[in-house]
Amino acid sequence: MLQPLRCLGRVLGMSVRAVPVVRARMVEDLESRRLMSFTFWSSIGPAIAKVPTSAGAITSTSVIDFGTTVYTGPLNVKNTLDRIRANNGPDRSNDGSVFNNGGELPSGHGTWYEFTVEPSGGTDRNFSGITFPGPMRILMATDGDTFFTGDHYVIFQQVYDPAVNGTPTIGSFAVNPTSVVTGGSVTLTAGNVSETGGTISSVKFYRETNGTTGFQAGDTLVASGTPSGTTWSASVATTGLAAGSYTYYAVATDAAAVSSGAAAALLSVTSSVTGGELLGWNVAGQTGFGAQGLLAGSVAVGVTDSLGLTRASGLQLSSSPASNAWGANNWASNSAAGISGSQYLTFGLTVGSGYTASLSAIDVNYRRSSTGPSSGYWQYQLNGGAWTVVSDVANEFPSTSSSGAAMAELNLSGVSGLTAVPAGSAVNFRLIPYGATTTGGTWYVYDLAGNDLVVKGTVSAVATLPNWLAAGSAATWSASTHALNLTGTATIIADPGLDAPLVTASGVGSVLRVAPPTDRVIQLGGLMLSGGATADILSVGAGRTQANHVVVRLPGTGLTVDGASKVDVEDNDLIVTSVSALAATGALSLVNGLAASGQNATALFGGNGITSSVAGTEALSGLRYALGVVQNKLGGATLYDTFDGVSVGLNDVLVKFTYFGDADLSGTVDDTDYFLINSGFTSGLTGWLNGDFDYSGTVDDADYFLLNNAFTTQGAVL
């Protein structure tokens, strides 16, 4: 990549081999700037672990340098706390040393340690006019109590108080009901969620999916709870879950981003209806010809009784009715007269959302008088449309016995309109018993064993596109395998952590666009692109603040991008998760290769692989932005506990839209990055963390050019 960079260097008015800072840095005494563990890390490490990763905001403070007030207003020292958390120090003498406060700070909190706050990168502001190390310090006790001073130990302001900000607790957690037919919904309820001295900001519910007992970061987020006092609850569907036992977790988080332990509860999921009764009426106990609109006593999951058992207006209820029966008299002599005279009965069902139904048969236990109707004329109706004939059965009700009889089963399996009836459809039936010889002749649904009027069939959960996909997305979705297969352009508009989908796409016309409106963290079960497919990750809002851009998290084992396809992160970030050191090595090699391909030596960021169209647009005019790839590891410890506000582990691979030269992905180019490239150069190392910013496989003058150019032209911390 050196030749194109030299050309760009001339466009920018710089020579790759003539940047004076390069050699000056090379001869600098590396030992004086060597990154090492803090001397007192055995005490500092447990102390910083007690401070939430979100801590650092100070409402108002003053920075006073040698008597001159250089700034007054809000300040956030999270960058320094993150540096301490990563054990990246000391920067200068006294950084991380014991602080003998002489009474300025409260006693009884353990030993106090002091840390320098770098003027150019230790806060959310750049105090470029202050000579390092400047007047700003962090003071931290071994119990986690943390203070800031901006005037070199004159005034101390509390940043975090562990006595006030405690840990959330969940008093109880339940799934109701504890057993449900697949496709049904359950309510997850966390009770007595509280924190002494703190405020609960959220309760999130997860389902065990990663195969490891106990709650893990890789388990699937299924819902965020809604509060009612100290109780948080959410309704969750089980569509797509196979029969079995499932563990759900509840985790509470407070306003300081401190989380509770996970509370667990079990749910049993049973199989959906197959070949059984969809609706069933038992008329035992009915009197006076039976209740008009009698509701079915048995209703399968996935359908509803939409009519009840209803008599039309032309029927009469005269003479003495039979007990344990539902019926009428004044039946017609022929089917046409029965329809025109409203001498019939109706019943029906509606297919529920997320289901499809196929109707197979109708069974009736009946009783009739000697002058009552002997034949049956059956019709069905879909969604209020025209009535269609199912069957006309002469002598369907031959028995006149007072003890009743069972009708020969009416077969519906050959009726095309009653097969695979979609969700939301209403299916109504009309039975016109005819052949009565007098108006006083009776006909009843009569009580025998079990249900006396039954509609049979099957109900199945359907694989509808999940609600986190934009309307009109060209994709197919498999709820059982959590696989989303793109057939064109599809847009994720909400957090798919609910399903953690494996996204597959093949062909030039397949484009995945990630554009969540609120939750900026997207969790995928995998991303497999081939044949010219593209995944385009769009920001949530304008500007390069953490709140406005997207983080996509996916497992390294599920990442495949062939030579014709690409992932365009634009100005967003990726986290590629790995479960072991061996897997992390493979993931790092894979992502490095994809980033090198995407950066491309002849057309910057115009290649396939993992690329950034934002960096490519800016490249010819500024050559500042790039995609940095590192494993979250420095020595034997994690580089970051959180990356972009997301918890990360030692084996995760981080991809950040940042400045060329930002070796440690801090969002700015500073002294640490110069140390890292110098160390990488002298040790013959490679990789972004060691200064190989053009992914050429070596650290050379081209990388120093990129570093120095970004250092002199960089803007705000990314």
Side-chain angles (χ1 to χ4, degrees):
M1 178 169 257
L2 183 58
Q3 295 301 324
L5 290 176
R6 283 175 175 157
C7 294
L8 286 171
R10 286 193 283 273
V11 170
L12 295 169
M14 294 181 251
S15 170
V16 174
R17 299 187 179 277
V19 181
V21 182
V22 174
R23 298 308 177 196
R25 294 288 183 180
M26 286 297 295
V27 298
E28 183 176 290
D29 180 8
L30 296 180
E31 195 61 31
S32 68
R33 300 169 51 75
R34 181 169 58 90
L35 284 174
M36 63 182 79
S37 296
F38 287 110
T39 302
F40 299 102
W41 181 249
S42 60
S43 297
I44 293 170
I48 189 65
K50 298 173 184 176
V51 181
T53 56
S54 60
I58 303 169
T59 303
S60 180
T61 190
S62 293
V63 178
I64 303 175
D65 189 31
F66 292 104
T68 300
T69 301
V70 298
Y71 173 75
T72 297
L75 195 66
N76 196 313
V77 295
K78 184 178 183 301
N79 292 351
T80 298
L81 294 175
D82 286 344
R83 178 177 69 83
I84 299 169
R85 189 172 286 108
N87 196 12
N88 285 355
D91 274 348
R92 289 292 188 271
S93 61
N94 296 330
D95 190 22
S97 64
V98 175
F99 179 65
N100 185 8
N101 63 60
E104 295 95 335
L105 294 169
S107 59
H109 291 261
T111 303
W112 288 91
Y113 297 90
E114 69 167 299
F115 305 88
T116 57
V117 179
E118 301 175 38
S120 63
T123 71
D124 59 344
R125 301 179 183 275
N126 191 335
F127 297 97
S128 57
I130 298 177
T131 303
F132 187 84
M136 296 182 290
R137 298 288 188 277
I138 289 292
L139 292 306
M140 179 186 298
T142 49
D143 73 342
D145 202 357
T146 304
F147 281 78
F148 168 79
T149 176
D151 52 10
H152 208 255
Y153 315 119
V154 177
I155 297 175
F156 295 88
Q157 293 176 273
Q158 196 160 50
V159 176
Y160 176 72
D161 183 357
V164 174
N165 303 97
T167 301
T169 60
I170 297 176
S172 63
F173 177 47
V175 180
N176 185 38
T178 57
S179 180
V180 67
V181 175
T182 182
S185 295
V186 296
T187 300
L188 308 179
T189 303
N192 194 22
V193 183
S194 61
E195 179 183 30
T196 303
T199 302
I200 303 299
S201 60
S202 70
V203 174
K204 293 190 174 183
F205 300 105
Y206 300 80
R207 187 178 71 249
E208 173 65 49
T209 53
N210 70 353
T212 302
T213 302
F215 173 68
Q216 309 288 331
D219 289 321
T220 299
L221 173 68
V222 296
S224 294
T226 300
S228 175
T230 61
T231 299
W232 295 69
S233 60
S235 178
V236 176
T238 60
T239 302
L241 296 184
S245 181
Y246 294 86
T247 301
Y248 285 80
Y249 301 106
V251 178
T253 303
D254 67 12
V258 177
S259 295
S260 69
L266 290 176
L267 171 67
S268 175
V269 176
T270 58
S271 299
S272 59
V273 174
T274 54
E277 297 183 356
L278 302 186
L279 295 180
W281 285 264
N282 189 326
V283 297
Q286 291 295 307
T287 60
F289 289 99
Q292 175 75 325
L294 179 66
L295 295 177
S298 300
V299 182
V301 172
V303 299
T304 58
D305 175 3
S306 52
L307 287 182
L309 191 52
T310 303
R311 285 177 287 262
S313 61
L315 297 176
Q316 297 178 3
L317 309 178
S318 60
S319 70
S320 299
S323 299
N324 301 314
W326 185 100
N329 50 26
N330 195 37
W331 299 99
S333 60
N334 60 74
S335 59
I339 294 172
S340 62
S342 297
Q343 296 160 285
Y344 52 79
L345 61 105
T346 56
F347 54 92
L349 60 84
T350 299
V351 183
S353 176
Y355 293 91
T356 183
S358 292
L359 281 59
S360 61
I362 295 177
D363 290 327
V364 180
N365 295 330
Y366 73 95
R367 174 181 169 179
R368 75 173 180 91
S369 65
S370 59
T371 59
S374 60
S375 300
Y377 189 79
W378 294 88
Q379 296 176 306
Y380 78 93
Q381 177 193 60
L382 282 177
N383 299 317
W387 289 96
T388 302
V389 177
V390 175
S391 185
D392 185 359
V393 185
N395 202 33
E396 189 170 29
F397 312 112
S399 175
T400 58
S401 171
S402 61
S403 60
M407 177 194 83
E409 186 171 79
L410 178 67
N411 186 2
L412 303 177
S413 59
V415 182
S416 60
L418 301 180
T419 300
V421 181
S425 298
V427 181
N428 297 329
F429 289 97
R430 183 161 71 178
L431 168 60
I432 303 97
Y434 69 93
T437 57
T438 67
T439 58
T442 57
W443 183 96
Y444 305 95
V445 177
Y446 191 68
D447 179 41
L448 296 178
N451 286 328
D452 304 305
L453 170 60
V454 174
V455 179
K456 291 183 176 180
T458 59
V459 178
S460 303
V462 295
T464 57
L465 289 178
N467 60 10
W468 42 260
L469 278 178
S473 291
T476 58
W477 167 251
S478 170
S480 60
T481 61
H482 291 92
L484 180 71
N485 182 46
L486 273 61
T487 55
T489 298
T491 303
I492 292 176
I493 57 171
D495 181 3
L498 296 174
D499 294 291
L502 167 63
V503 179
T504 63
S506 178
V508 176
S510 300
V511 181
L512 174 67
R513 302 172 70 243
V514 179
T518 53
D519 192 339
R520 65 183 193 84
V521 181
I522 296 294
Q523 179 177 314
L524 300 180
L527 182 59
M528 299 183 177
L529 307 177
S530 61
T534 300
D536 188 14
I537 303 170
L538 307 181
S539 297
V540 178
R544 296 191 177 109
T545 65
Q546 186 179 81
N548 289 339
H549 73 268
V550 173
V551 182
V552 174
R553 184 184 183 112
L554 72 160
T557 53
L559 176 62
T560 301
V561 182
D562 73 1
S565 304
K566 69 173 63 176
V567 180
D568 182 0
V569 303
E570 298 203 356
D571 55 1
N572 301 296
D573 298 338
L574 299 175
I575 300 173
V576 180
T577 61
S578 302
V579 296
S580 66
L582 181 62
T585 300
L588 180 61
S589 176
L590 169 66
V591 178
N592 262 326
L594 292 173
S597 173
Q599 188 164 306
N600 195 278
T602 57
L604 279 176
F605 301 100
N608 293 319
I610 297 178
T611 186
S612 167
S613 59
V614 174
T617 300
E618 187 269 352
L620 291 177
S621 61
L623 199 62
R624 288 193 301 171
Y625 300 119
L627 297 179
V629 178
V630 305
Q631 184 182 344
N632 186 37
K633 179 179 179 182
L634 187 64
T638 54
L639 182 60
Y640 296 107
D641 290 333
T642 60
F643 173 72
D644 241 350
V646 180
S647 297
V648 287
L650 189 72
N651 297 316
D652 291 341
V653 175
L654 315 178
V655 182
K656 182 178 179 68
F657 175 85
T658 189
Y659 299 111
F660 271 116
D662 178 20
D664 61 352
L665 305 189
S666 65
T668 188
V669 180
D670 54 21
D671 291 349
T672 298
D673 303 309
Y674 277 102
F675 164 75
L676 289 170
I677 191 173
N678 290 335
S679 297
F681 179 85
T682 57
S683 301
L685 302 176
T686 188
W688 182 275
L689 186 65
N690 298 304
D692 181 14
F693 305 127
D694 61 2
Y695 298 104
S696 66
T698 60
V699 179
D700 55 22
D701 285 354
D703 300 303
Y704 277 100
F705 164 75
L706 293 169
L707 172 71
N708 291 321
N709 179 61
F711 179 80
T712 58
T713 61
Q714 66 183 323
V717 176
L718 295 175

